[in-house]
Amino acid sequence: MEKLVETDDPGAGLASVVALRRLADRIEDSQVEQAMRAGWSWSDVAEVLGVTRQAVHKKHAKRLIAAGVALRRR
């Protein structure tokens, strides 16, 4: 397996994983919000993310409502 992180310190490598996950979550939040503001449906977003509509709704609906995003029913 190719070494992706140039460190022999597992702690540093794992810290990198955590940082990347947090960054990916922030990017996902931003892009889902942008898509919903543009009129995308939950199904549209879910298809691109490769998850179910229910999973996207569960993860993002509460935050989007709090942000004042008008959500489509379907």
Side-chain angles (χ1 to χ4, degrees):
M1 180 178 214
E2 183 180 331
K3 201 171 183 183
L4 299 177
V5 176
E6 293 301 321
T7 180
D8 290 328
D9 178 3
L14 292 170
S16 296
V17 170
V18 171
L20 287 168
R21 284 184 181 151
R22 288 180 180 156
L23 176 59
D25 284 343
R26 288 197 325 261
I27 293 169
E28 180 180 326
D29 289 350
S30 174
Q31 293 305 305
V32 169
E33 182 171 340
Q34 184 176 342
M36 298 305 285
R37 287 186 186 277
W40 284 39
S41 69
W42 291 113
S43 295
D44 295 335
V45 172
E47 183 177 339
V48 174
L49 290 176
V51 298
T52 66
R53 177 182 56 81
Q54 293 87 349
V56 173
H57 186 273
K58 181 178 181 178
K59 185 173 182 179
H60 296 283
K62 194 178 287 189
R63 180 184 55 76
L64 293 172
I65 291 167
V69 178
L71 302 177
R72 295 174 54 178
R73 288 281 183 196
R74 282 228 162 211

